[in-house]
Amino acid sequence: MIKRLIGIAMILTLAAGLVFAAGQADTASAAKPIVLRLAETHGADYPTTQGDYEFARLVEERSNGRIKIEVYPGSQLGEERAVIEQVQFGAIDFTRVSISPLAAFSPDLNALQMPYLYRNADHMWEVLNSKIGDDFLDSMEDAGFVGLSWFDSGARSFYNSVRPVKSVADLAGLKIRVQESDLMIGLVESLGAVATPMPFGEVYSGIQTGVIDGAENNWPSYYSTSHYEVAKYFTLDEHTRVPEITIASKLSMDKLSKEDQALIKQAAKDSMAFQIKAWADYEKVAEEAVRANGNQVDYLDDNSAFQAAMQPMYDALSPELKAVVAEIRAVGK
Ligand code: BDP
């Protein structure tokens, strides 16, 4: 009897050992997933962040779970300029940013955010989806980035807490927050206002405490940040259409196989349609909410005075960028 029990105990121990060994073999063969981080300034519900999640979902699905992209919304990894620097030296793998602050690192991008450059949204998309857009995505390697895809960001307009703006003269002397971008500083100054560069996350308190009088952004950001609560005059002058871009760190991408790099690039492109749809939906929600709040929304009778004031910005472009601007303007004509 004792012998039999010992025998059974031995068999059980052996079996447990085998199961354990099999378990170990399993973990060894299913390699640990590659985990990469993406920084996003907007909150989780914002349409652009939704686009980031879609990008991450496609990468995970197409790599059968081998590559996971963790999205960090709400500026958890820092404000845009600081994040871009970290992407440059590989501490953060991806970010989705506005091209305005990115142009400080890759100046040619300024050609894509000139005031009143595009005739309308369709024109901008035709440009971004053409060879011009692809060339720009490829142009950032020297700065340490791999351009992946474009997202929608509507048109940017001025808002402030002081007075309705219906003409260039109404902007005179207003302290307007701009992104950390030389082009945006020049744009606001060309209209006679005082440009104050400041991170996105500081704008609400800046307006509330009177450090600045206002800022400029699209309907979704005006609403999602609650800037509309402290700056109730919104003028739809639509001075710029500034594409959003998703970039990867070249250092991070270089560590991946060519196949995985291609998979990531394709997934980023394929997430665009999702974001563009989410954007259109949220733009309406934001506009309705702002109007329901009783904000004063003004239109310009025509924007020729705004355009004329900004013409020197075009004159100051390098011959190369003047040529790119001419090429952009010719698209679809
Ligand atoms: C929003 C962009 C965000 C910018 C922000 C800003 O989506 O990426 O950084 O404007 O003004 O529209 O800083």
Side-chain angles (χ1 to χ4, degrees):
M1 176 68 180
I2 299 269
K3 263 194 185 166
R4 251 178 70 202
L5 278 181
I6 292 177
I8 290 171
M10 275 174 67
I11 289 169
L12 285 178
T13 316
L14 200 67
L18 283 177
V19 169
F20 179 69
Q24 270 188 330
D26 258 12
T27 356
S29 66
K32 272 193 19 216
I34 301 170
V35 180
L36 302 165
R37 299 190 306 162
L38 184 150
E40 168 62 68
T41 196
H42 293 294
D45 294 342
Y46 198 83
T48 309
T49 317
Q50 294 293 313
D52 303 334
Y53 288 131
E54 176 64 4
F55 166 48
R57 190 188 70 75
L58 290 174
V59 169
E60 185 160 354
E61 182 180 278
R62 293 176 185 179
S63 68
N64 297 316
R66 269 189 316 106
I67 309 176
K68 288 194 198 306
I69 298 182
E70 292 176 344
V71 176
Y72 291 83
S75 295
Q76 285 174 59
L77 302 184
E79 294 277 0
E80 286 191 340
R81 197 189 155 92
V83 161
I84 296 168
E85 277 166 9
Q86 295 202 61
V87 169
Q88 199 171 36
F89 60 77
I92 297 176
D93 307 297
F94 300 96
T95 188
R96 191 295 312 160
V97 286
S98 161
I99 65 167
S100 286
L102 187 60
F105 300 79
S106 192
D108 286 359
L109 280 173
N110 280 326
L112 290 179
Q113 58 159 344
M114 294 297 287
Y116 298 114
L117 172 64
Y118 307 104
R119 295 184 294 279
N120 48 38
D122 287 349
H123 177 207
M124 180 189 80
W125 282 114
E126 209 177 326
V127 171
L128 296 178
N129 289 325
S130 73
K131 183 166 180 306
I132 302 177
D134 286 341
D135 286 350
F136 269 106
L137 291 179
D138 292 340
S139 73
M140 280 159 253
E141 295 234 338
D142 289 349
F145 309 117
V146 181
L148 297 177
S149 56
W150 310 105
F151 279 171
D152 204 352
S153 190
R156 296 178 76 102
S157 292
F158 289 108
Y159 49 82
N160 80 91
S161 62
V162 180
R163 57 178 173 254
V165 168
K166 294 179 186 173
S167 66
V168 176
D170 293 333
L171 275 168
L174 288 182
K175 279 186 261 132
I176 301 293
R177 175 270 174 172
V178 289
Q179 290 154 293
E180 290 167 280
S181 148
D182 288 345
L183 183 129
M184 287 309 302
I185 294 173
L187 186 150
V188 162
E189 285 177 349
S190 71
L191 295 166
V194 181
T196 311
M198 179 185 284
F200 194 39
E202 290 169 23
V203 179
Y204 182 90
S205 63
I207 300 174
Q208 201 180 29
T209 58
V211 170
I212 47 175
D213 298 317
E216 47 83 58
N217 223 312
N218 46 48
W219 280 111
S221 280
Y222 181 45
Y223 174 57
S224 71
T225 52
S226 299
H227 294 175
Y228 76 103
E229 288 171 3
V230 286
K232 68 174 201 185
Y233 302 108
F234 193 35
T235 301
L236 289 171
D237 62 291
E238 303 197 331
H239 47 268
T240 49
R241 287 186 182 275
V242 182
E244 313 270 40
I245 188 170
T246 301
I247 53 169
S249 169
K250 187 164 178 333
L251 289 170
S252 304
M253 285 291 259
D254 284 348
K255 289 186 197 144
L256 302 173
S257 68
K258 286 274 166 282
E259 293 73 31
D260 286 347
Q261 293 180 23
L263 185 153
I264 286 172
K265 285 185 178 176
Q266 192 58 46
K269 288 257 180 180
D270 293 345
S271 68
M272 286 171 56
F274 183 94
Q275 189 272 349
I276 291 167
K277 165 84 174 62
W279 180 267
D281 294 346
Y282 191 75
E283 220 173 22
K284 290 197 201 86
V285 171
E287 175 170 353
E288 273 165 29
V290 168
R291 287 186 188 276
N293 188 54
N295 287 39
Q296 178 164 343
V297 180
D298 287 300
Y299 296 83
L300 298 179
D301 291 336
D302 80 276
N303 61 27
S304 52
F306 273 63
Q307 287 210 43
M310 297 179 203
Q311 182 55 38
M313 295 174 64
Y314 279 93
D315 300 339
L317 288 176
S318 68
E320 292 76 26
L321 289 195
K322 276 188 184 141
V324 178
V325 162
E327 220 186 310
I328 291 174
R329 290 215 148 127
V331 169
K333 278 209 163 160

